[in-house]
Amino acid sequence: MHACKLCGRMVSVVLRSNRASLPRFNVVLNSTSRKTSVRYYNSTAYTSSESMTESGTKQKKTSINPEEVKKFNALASKWWDTKGELKGLHSMNRLRVPLIRDTLMKQHRVSRKSRPLEGLRILDVGCGGGILSVPLAKLGAQVTGLDASEEAVKAATAHMAHDPSLKDTLTFTHGTVEDLVASEVRDYYDALVASEVIEHVDALDDFVGSSCDLVKPGGSLFFTTINRTNQSYYLAVIAAEYIVGVVPRGTHNWNKFVSPEELKDELRANNCHPRLIHGMFYNPFLNHWNWTGSTEMNYALHAIKDASEADLKKD
Amino acid sequence: MSALFCTTTARAFIRSTNLRPGTRRLAVRTLSSSGGEPEQTTESAPPPPEETWEDVPQDFYDIIVSGGGMVGAAMALALGSDPVLLGRKILMLDGGPRRVLTQVPDSFSSRVCSLTPGTVQLLQDIGAWDHINKMRVRPYKRMQVWDACSDAMITFDRDDLNEDIAHIVENDVILSGLMQQLDGMQGLVNVMFDTKVKGYKLPSKAADGEESPWARVILEDGRALDTRLLIGADGPKSLLRQTANIRQMSWSYSQAGVVATLKLSEPTVNNVAWQRFLPTGPIAMLPLSETHSNLVWSTSAEDAEMLLQMQAEEFVEAVNSAFWQDYKREAAVDSAVQTVQSILSTISPGGTSARQLPPSVSDVDEDSRAMFPLGLGHSTQYVKHRMAIIGDAAHRVHPMAGQGVNLGFGDVSCLRQVVSDAEAAGEDIGSVDRLLEYETKRQQAVIPMMAAIEGLHRLYSSDNPALVLLRSVGLQFTNAIKPLKNEIMGFASK
């Protein structure tokens, strides 16, 4: 098994819940035999299509040895090197953090400028090393970072360890949205963020369905992803990965890119209503993201879950 | 549960890697310059003991401003009054005692500043201007600058003397106003006086890019304070700048500035600032009240010494003649200047005003005479990971244009905005990526200003007839072109 270089996704469906602040998860901790749904997180270069079922509940080894620690540090540094491989994700914060912040501030009528997201629960799906989770936590939100890659979660936890102010507001969990749903988390989060995630997901309908389940009625969902167009093939795959080299090769599978219409349809099917869609454009030479009129390449989408309790979910 | 144990052990191991010799020690050592030289030790910064980050119990602040002078206090106040930073722990520390004027003394202090409208706006925004205004300020409406070696002159004013162009305020008053406002901000801004700093420790952004721990201030009394962002407002000999091994381009002029409080022969409206360029250096008279003005005379170091030693009458005579006396002229220059003058008056009649003479001086206040060395300094960098320098620590200019402290206040405005933006975006406020915006913006403002002042200094330091001719004609033309003058005023008013 190998991790996708960009997002560290692997096939791993074991839930690693580790925080007392989310009591519902304790159910999963102790279970050893439960139905796990198989989720493929594929990238073209890495043909990891194993499915892990009951045997997949491996207990996290508690004896951390220095080799592993070295690896955590190395991983942590990969994620948090703002000029490294993942610099595009760091610079994307200049767009997505204000988007999430301002949308939620407006939604919840917050006028306070300091720690404006205080009191809100946010789930960052596919958090990786926590690049987006940390700023949201710093803005006051209770953030849970969720990632299917254990290494990513460890790296994220290691990185935030030295900052005492994040201790109570930020936690990282190894797992998937389906795991959370399976452990009966429902209508829990004020906002769910899936940034640069859905283009790596196999079954979009299940993913969106589970995501919508997890969000409170009236809560928000934020997605950023890449559109499936000719332009995105040439620019986001060929140019980015092979010519300019700002994205590691094999990161993206163009067939998995999601068009805004597809995403909107999925959301509506789950009683979530798209409210905003806006194109994003990356300048690789300046490492700078801009909002743009065209959604041909990257785009961000904000949807709100119906406030009514009509939770007619397909099972 | 098992994972919770995991996390704590992970944390412990992360910390323990700090203690592992050979690796984390690098982070403990102060930043080295690109050449990789070892840290230079100066008398004021003995090599700190090799402690690890965890050994010493430390207080933690989000931002520490080191230096409680005008610029440092303004910085702390600006950060404390920013709504985005509400709740952050901010500290200002200074090695000296707290200086507040309980009441405004009858006599004037001879250290004054000319505050531009931009600075006044900042002081209003941070709530200090009311205190300052209540104490003592002197707005002025016009500035006349002329040459000793020719008849050329230039005047700056706005809207035909209907608007102030700047304010003269004593340094003590400015500082008092800032302190009074800080007093009202307890809980938002912590202040420590009589707190001498022994040294600083800056984290290096480790080669593997891992976000490193905090910047540390080590006090003389042994305490250590950790912070996300360390701002150095500690003057031209900044210890923080030296610790960070930031190279500074600097030289001292062979000039010194003499300051004094002058009593005018007779009361006058006194809303004009005067500056005459002598071959030895500019002499300026700045209004303080209807009866008193402030003197700033930049001259050679020896002359400065002599001026301080003189009796009061002698001194007064020296000042008066410096402003009034006719210096030797070159006939060629004079006729050229006259020709230009007549050309200009035909092109824009009434556009060039007649040269006026400053009020005469009758006395100098006792014990008000002082001198200070003049120099230029500019740091190649203003920021590094988790630190930034502002004010004289970053740049130092000749007083002739009255810009020095205003540049410092400009730094305060800019850095506050940058830190606020970073905090509003959930970023690490000490991250050099964001701090570089401050450096870029300020260097774009400071470097042209420094170049202009330095240029003027060199241009007016000689009595070479060719240069005199050049600068005189240049000055005359500039004086006649109102839009150009407005540009210059705008440039100098930020």
Side-chain angles (χ1 to χ4, degrees):
Chain A
M1 285 232 260
H2 200 98
C4 157
K5 271 187 171 177
L6 181 66
C7 53
R9 273 158 194 64
M10 294 165 35
V11 178
S12 170
V13 292
V14 178
L15 176 64
R16 281 284 147 242
S17 170
N18 50 10
R19 293 294 176 271
S21 55
L22 297 169
R24 301 192 215 195
F25 293 178
N26 287 336
V27 167
V28 180
L29 272 178
N30 298 320
S31 78
T32 49
S33 62
R34 54 177 175 83
K35 183 169 76 86
T36 59
S37 55
V38 174
R39 181 59 44 217
Y40 293 98
Y41 288 74
N42 248 334
S43 63
T44 45
Y46 310 109
T47 54
S48 44
S49 54
E50 299 166 40
S51 65
M52 297 180 77
T53 55
E54 302 85 36
S55 56
T57 53
K58 53 181 195 282
Q59 290 297 318
K60 193 178 269 185
K61 283 283 167 278
T62 57
S63 55
I64 298 182
N65 64 55
E67 302 312 314
E68 295 249 291
V69 171
K70 235 192 262 179
K71 197 171 55 158
F72 304 158
N73 287 346
L75 272 177
S77 68
K78 175 194 81 167
W79 285 105
W80 284 93
D81 182 3
T82 54
K83 297 281 176 261
E85 267 182 25
L86 304 175
K87 62 183 180 179
L89 289 178
H90 282 280
S91 55
M92 201 197 285
N93 275 348
R94 296 269 179 129
L95 289 190
R96 44 187 189 170
V97 171
L99 171 70
I100 297 170
R101 176 195 74 207
D102 294 343
T103 309
L104 292 176
M105 276 176 77
K106 210 155 97 170
Q107 217 184 342
H108 295 265
R109 298 203 177 81
V110 175
S111 56
R112 148 189 99 243
K113 295 239 179 91
S114 158
R115 296 175 72 82
L117 302 181
E118 191 123 37
L120 300 180
R121 286 196 213 105
I122 303 182
L123 179 69
D124 182 11
V125 181
C127 62
I131 295 176
L132 181 55
S133 316
V134 168
L136 294 176
K138 283 197 166 178
L139 291 177
Q142 282 287 123
V143 177
T144 306
L146 185 69
D147 202 277
S149 152
E150 209 171 329
E151 271 114 39
V153 169
K154 284 179 183 162
T157 312
H159 171 81
M160 59 157 265
H162 73 267
D163 189 341
S165 71
L166 292 174
K167 187 158 53 92
D168 300 320
T169 53
L170 179 59
T171 58
F172 289 103
T173 304
H174 176 209
T176 69
V177 283
E178 286 77 15
D179 297 330
L180 293 190
V181 169
S183 63
E184 279 150 41
V185 179
R186 288 272 193 295
D187 302 339
Y188 189 74
Y189 291 101
D190 293 290
L192 181 144
V193 180
S195 179
E196 307 302 299
V197 173
I198 59 176
E199 69 264 26
H200 296 277
V201 164
D202 243 5
L204 183 67
D205 48 357
D206 283 345
F207 181 85
V208 173
S210 303
S211 300
C212 293
D213 269 349
L214 294 170
V215 175
K216 280 184 193 165
S220 285
L221 295 102
F222 296 92
F223 298 90
T224 76
T225 189
I226 312 179
N227 198 349
R228 191 173 65 248
T229 59
N230 284 330
Q231 188 181 4
S232 70
Y233 180 67
Y234 290 116
L235 290 183
V237 182
I238 302 293
E241 292 181 15
Y242 293 91
I243 302 177
V244 183
V246 283
V247 174
R249 285 187 193 181
T251 300
H252 288 126
N253 175 359
W254 183 82
N255 291 305
K256 290 250 201 57
F257 286 179
V258 180
S259 76
E261 286 66 40
E262 283 173 347
L263 182 56
K264 285 193 234 178
D265 286 340
E266 284 302 328
L267 286 166
R268 288 194 195 103
N270 288 290
N271 289 317
C272 290
H273 297 281
R275 286 297 173 87
L276 166 88
I277 180 168
H278 215 297
M280 296 159 57
F281 182 76
Y282 181 59
N283 181 332
F285 307 107
L286 298 179
N287 186 27
H288 186 72
W289 286 90
N290 285 305
W291 291 115
T292 180
S294 151
T295 56
E296 290 281 301
M297 289 282 300
N298 298 71
Y299 64 92
L301 191 144
H302 168 235
I304 296 189
K305 180 169 172 180
D306 259 352
S308 68
E309 279 302 282
D311 267 343
L312 303 169
K313 271 292 311 345
K314 54 187 198 289
D315 210 328
Chain B
M1 176 213 25
S2 59
L4 189 59
F5 176 75
C6 243
T7 323
T8 44
T9 352
R11 280 200 202 136
F13 267 87
I14 301 301
R15 261 187 248 140
S16 72
T17 58
N18 296 355
L19 295 169
R20 216 192 310 166
T23 50
R24 211 50 180 167
R25 279 292 164 83
L26 284 166
V28 172
R29 210 185 333 143
T30 54
L31 276 174
S32 50
S33 65
S34 50
E37 306 131 20
E39 173 207 20
Q40 290 167 329
T41 40
T42 66
E43 315 160 352
S44 42
E50 282 291 2
E51 13 173 289
T52 60
W53 294 101
E54 306 299 324
D55 286 1
V56 178
Q58 57 279 82
D59 286 331
F60 183 83
Y61 291 91
D62 289 293
I63 307 174
I64 294 182
V65 179
S66 180
M70 289 188 284
V71 174
M75 185 83 244
L77 202 46
L79 294 169
S81 23
D82 192 312
V84 175
L85 297 169
L86 185 65
R88 301 293 120 235
K89 275 180 86 180
I90 302 171
L91 170 69
M92 180 187 91
L93 48 84
D94 194 274
R98 183 166 167 274
R99 289 179 298 162
V100 175
L101 297 172
T102 37
Q103 63 180 98
V104 184
D106 293 326
S107 61
F108 293 92
S109 153
S110 52
R111 290 305 299 264
V112 310
C113 288
S114 170
L115 301 183
T116 58
T119 297
V120 172
Q121 183 63 52
L122 168 70
L123 293 172
Q124 282 172 341
D125 290 342
I126 63 180
W129 183 250
D130 280 341
H131 300 292
I132 295 171
N133 213 5
K134 279 200 198 98
M135 282 188 272
R136 192 155 58 191
V137 304
R138 185 74 180 176
Y140 62 97
K141 294 188 173 3
R142 163 182 281 181
M143 176 157 200
Q144 178 177 296
V145 179
W146 71 113
D147 205 332
C149 301
S150 78
D151 279 333
M153 73 135 197
I154 188 169
T155 56
F156 295 101
D157 51 54
R158 210 170 273 167
D159 194 20
D160 281 334
L161 299 189
N162 282 330
E163 233 185 272
D164 301 327
I165 60 173
H167 287 75
I168 301 291
V169 191
E170 295 151 86
N171 292 8
D172 289 342
V173 168
I174 299 173
L175 197 55
S176 267
L178 291 165
M179 286 304 155
Q180 282 173 29
Q181 183 64 9
L182 270 175
D183 283 344
M185 298 198 74
Q186 275 156 25
L188 292 168
V189 182
N190 303 286
V191 178
M192 284 186 201
F193 284 102
D194 299 304
T195 306
K196 290 209 186 0
V197 171
K198 193 162 90 171
Y200 299 101
K201 261 198 215 166
L202 295 167
S204 59
K205 201 150 196 211
D208 59 359
E210 183 181 309
E211 196 176 296
S212 45
W214 317 119
R216 179 172 284 186
V217 180
I218 301 156
L219 303 175
E220 291 266 320
D221 62 14
R223 274 184 300 163
L225 310 171
D226 278 352
T227 182
R228 293 179 203 274
L229 174 62
L230 185 49
I231 300 178
D234 43 355
K237 295 206 194 68
S238 168
L239 174 60
L240 180 58
R241 185 190 69 227
Q242 289 171 30
T243 310
N245 272 324
I246 292 178
R247 278 195 293 274
Q248 216 210 17
M249 178 184 81
S250 71
W251 55 82
S252 63
Y253 299 119
S254 50
Q255 287 183 338
V258 174
V259 293
T261 307
L262 307 170
K263 178 145 184 275
L264 304 178
S265 304
E266 41 189 55
T268 165
V269 175
N270 208 8
N271 57 4
V272 181
W274 310 92
Q275 175 150 292
R276 192 181 195 199
F277 279 104
L278 310 176
T280 49
I283 179 171
M285 192 189 299
L286 309 170
L288 288 173
S289 73
E290 289 180 356
T291 51
H292 283 76
S293 283
N294 176 270
L295 173 79
V296 183
W297 190 349
S298 313
T299 184
S300 67
E302 305 83 41
D303 283 349
E305 286 284 355
M306 267 196 336
L307 284 168
L308 288 190
Q309 310 294 342
M310 280 181 197
Q311 297 297 321
E313 300 87 36
E314 255 189 282
F315 182 81
V316 166
E317 225 189 278
V319 171
N320 277 327
S321 63
F323 276 113
W324 291 52
Q325 180 189 40
D326 277 332
Y327 280 75
K328 104 170 141 64
R329 301 286 181 84
E330 287 290 319
V333 174
D334 269 354
S335 59
V337 166
Q338 252 179 331
T339 319
V340 173
Q341 191 61 27
S342 50
I343 294 172
L344 287 174
S345 44
T346 43
I347 295 175
S348 58
T352 60
S353 37
R355 191 175 82 219
Q356 294 179 317
L357 283 169
S360 72
V361 179
S362 64
D363 200 4
V364 58
D365 276 9
E366 238 182 277
D367 295 328
S368 70
R369 280 183 271 173
M371 72 182 247
F372 56 96
L374 301 182
L376 176 143
H378 191 249
S379 309
T380 48
Q381 294 165 288
Y382 290 4
V383 301
K384 281 203 168 170
H385 192 53
R386 298 216 180 285
M387 65 86 71
I389 41 175
I390 58 176
D392 281 354
H395 41 71
R396 192 175 156 224
V397 296
H398 197 284
M400 74 161 78
Q403 291 297 323
V405 82
N406 295 296
L407 289 175
F409 284 122
D411 293 346
V412 168
S413 255
C414 182
L415 186 55
R416 183 207 64 80
Q417 187 63 52
V418 166
V419 171
S420 179
D421 288 347
E423 178 73 21
E427 286 171 25
D428 180 2
I429 53 179
S431 158
V432 74
D433 300 324
R434 184 65 94 146
L435 288 174
L436 279 171
E437 283 180 21
Y438 154 73
E439 178 185 279
T440 311
K441 280 206 189 102
R442 286 313 293 164
Q443 292 202 332
Q444 283 171 353
V446 168
I447 292 178
M449 179 65 76
M450 287 189 96
I453 297 175
E454 183 62 15
L456 282 174
H457 175 242
R458 292 186 189 203
L459 187 60
Y460 279 93
S461 290
S462 107
D463 53 4
N464 176 332
L467 269 180
V468 173
L469 178 63
L470 177 73
R471 73 195 191 206
S472 302
V473 172
L475 199 60
Q476 282 181 294
F477 270 106
T478 312
N479 190 33
I481 304 172
K482 199 88 172 85
L484 181 58
K485 274 208 289 190
N486 288 341
E487 275 297 312
I488 296 173
M489 275 212 295
F491 180 60
S493 294
K494 288 188 219 153

